Amino acid sequence: MEVNYFLIGSMFLTLIICLLSGFPIAYALGGIAVLFAGIGYLSDTYLGAATGLDYTTTGLFVNRIYKLMDNWVLVALPMFVFMGLMLEKSGVARLAMQSSQALFGEVKGGLAVTVTIIGMLLAASTGIIGASVVLLGTLSLKTMLNQGYQKTFAVGTIASAGTLGILIPPSIMLVIMADQLSLSVGDLFMGALLPGLLLGVLYLIYILIYAAMNPKAAPLLPDRQPVSWRTATHALKTMAPLFGLIIAVLGSIFAGIATVTEASGIGALGSILLASYFRNLNFKVISDVTKSTFTTTAYIFAILVGATCFSLVLRELGGDELIETAFTAVNF
């Protein structure tokens, strides 16, 4: 058993070194699993150690990978990724940003408020942190800096608003968690919706308080126009398509009309229709979005494959018992 504990410690140490050195996490997890499975197998065969990693155990890699890829719930992943990337190309976020900026032009920190609201909408329609942060940065960072916003405040606003995509449904992270924990994706979506919205509201409150206490960090536009009913109506009309897509996806799930996999297909189709409506749909856009979807999905599944192999080797070495013993000692 001492040999097993040594191998477990070496696995985690190797993983930490690989991650800190910038090695891709998917390759790190899978490669370490294969490496230590081989070490355990050779130790049992030639050194007489009882690690438990025999030929039969290492053969479970194939079964676990096949079971992972045979899960129909994960079909929602590429659909949600496609939806988010297509929305990025559709131009709807850019129009919503422009109209919202005019709506909050009289509010101190209004541009930061606009960025956070658009981040919440993107989170509820994409579920991809990377896409949200990049899109928000492209749309607003230069504008915020030109308006005189404090650099740290501007970057922090974009980063925090973009990270809402991991919590507000439909979140890709929640789909993966539901699969790994054998839980209902719809239940996780419903459980994460309110905390995600509350976090977004807390961001807005912080921005308003910070802008009021530090006017120089978030100055108003000198040539701002007064807000009118026409401005508010235009902003609502611009955001209506995005709201409609969010309601179609999440509403169909929460109402029990469609499963998460079916709703992801609705979202993908809706994003295509929005891109067509705003006249940004062409063969190049479809080709770029499809290729990006394949690439992003491959990264995600590579991490899942590496993680399932890593957990198998860890379990066979007695990692579950070691963790349980550690928790028992801490609670005691």
Side-chain angles (χ1 to χ4, degrees):
M1 187 60 67
E2 290 78 7
V3 175
N4 289 21
Y5 289 165
F6 174 77
L7 292 177
I8 291 173
S10 301
M11 283 183 66
F12 281 111
L13 180 60
T14 306
L15 178 61
I16 293 172
I17 293 174
C18 289
L19 295 181
L20 292 178
S21 63
F23 207 72
I25 185 171
Y27 299 151
L29 288 170
I32 292 172
V34 173
L35 174 63
F36 279 86
I39 293 174
Y41 175 77
L42 294 175
S43 298
D44 282 5
T45 304
Y46 297 105
L47 302 179
T51 61
L53 291 171
D54 54 14
Y55 182 79
T56 304
T57 303
T58 54
L60 294 176
F61 280 145
V62 177
N63 293 333
R64 289 175 70 99
I65 295 173
Y66 179 82
K67 184 179 179 181
L68 174 68
M69 295 301 177
D70 193 43
N71 192 344
W72 63 270
V73 175
L74 294 181
V75 175
L77 281 178
M79 291 292 101
F80 281 135
V81 172
F82 180 91
M83 180 178 72
L85 295 174
M86 183 59 74
L87 283 176
E88 179 184 350
K89 298 290 186 180
S90 67
V92 63
R94 185 180 300 276
L95 293 175
M97 178 74 73
Q98 294 172 353
S99 61
S100 299
Q101 183 178 357
L103 185 62
F104 295 101
E106 295 288 338
V107 180
K108 292 183 179 179
L111 184 53
V113 170
T114 300
V115 171
T116 303
I117 293 176
I118 298 301
M120 294 172 67
L121 293 176
L122 289 176
S125 55
T126 63
I128 311 172
I129 291 181
S132 298
V133 173
V134 170
L135 183 56
L136 288 174
T138 303
L139 294 178
S140 60
L141 182 57
K142 186 177 180 180
T143 303
M144 295 176 78
L145 295 179
N146 290 339
Q147 190 171 320
Y149 269 64
Q150 188 179 32
K151 188 174 182 180
T152 54
F153 182 54
V155 174
T157 300
I158 294 171
S160 59
T163 53
L164 290 173
I166 201 171
L167 185 58
I168 298 178
S171 168
I172 289 177
M173 184 270 294
L174 294 177
V175 177
I176 297 174
M177 285 186 62
D179 170 64
Q180 296 300 309
L181 300 176
S182 300
L183 298 174
S184 169
V185 181
D187 290 344
L188 283 184
F189 278 5
M190 294 181 69
L193 180 60
L194 183 58
L197 294 178
L198 286 176
L199 183 59
V201 172
L202 289 176
Y203 285 162
L204 293 175
I205 294 174
Y206 174 82
I207 289 171
L208 293 175
I209 295 175
Y210 186 84
M213 296 177 62
N214 302 276
K216 294 183 179 180
L220 297 173
L221 270 175
D223 57 344
R224 60 188 180 278
Q225 300 295 326
V227 180
S228 61
W229 283 107
R230 183 178 181 182
T231 304
T233 304
H234 177 67
L236 291 176
K237 286 183 179 179
T238 305
M239 293 184 183
L242 200 54
F243 278 120
L245 181 62
I246 294 171
I247 294 173
V249 175
L250 296 183
S252 61
I253 296 173
F254 295 159
I257 300 174
T259 64
V260 174
T261 306
E262 294 166 345
S264 66
I266 295 174
L269 177 61
S271 64
I272 294 175
L273 295 177
L274 284 181
S276 177
Y277 176 77
F278 288 103
R279 302 180 184 277
N280 289 318
L281 185 67
N282 51 54
F283 179 78
K284 185 178 185 306
V285 168
I286 295 176
S287 176
D288 292 343
V289 170
T290 303
K291 291 178 181 177
S292 299
T293 300
F294 284 151
T295 303
T296 305
T297 305
Y299 288 155
I300 295 173
F301 275 93
I303 294 174
L304 292 177
V305 170
T308 191
C309 294
F310 188 90
S311 64
L312 173 62
V313 175
L314 191 63
R315 189 192 67 182
E316 295 300 325
L317 288 174
D320 295 343
E321 298 176 3
L322 181 60
I323 294 173
E324 183 178 353
T325 303
F327 273 114
T328 303
V330 170
N331 292 332
F332 179 76

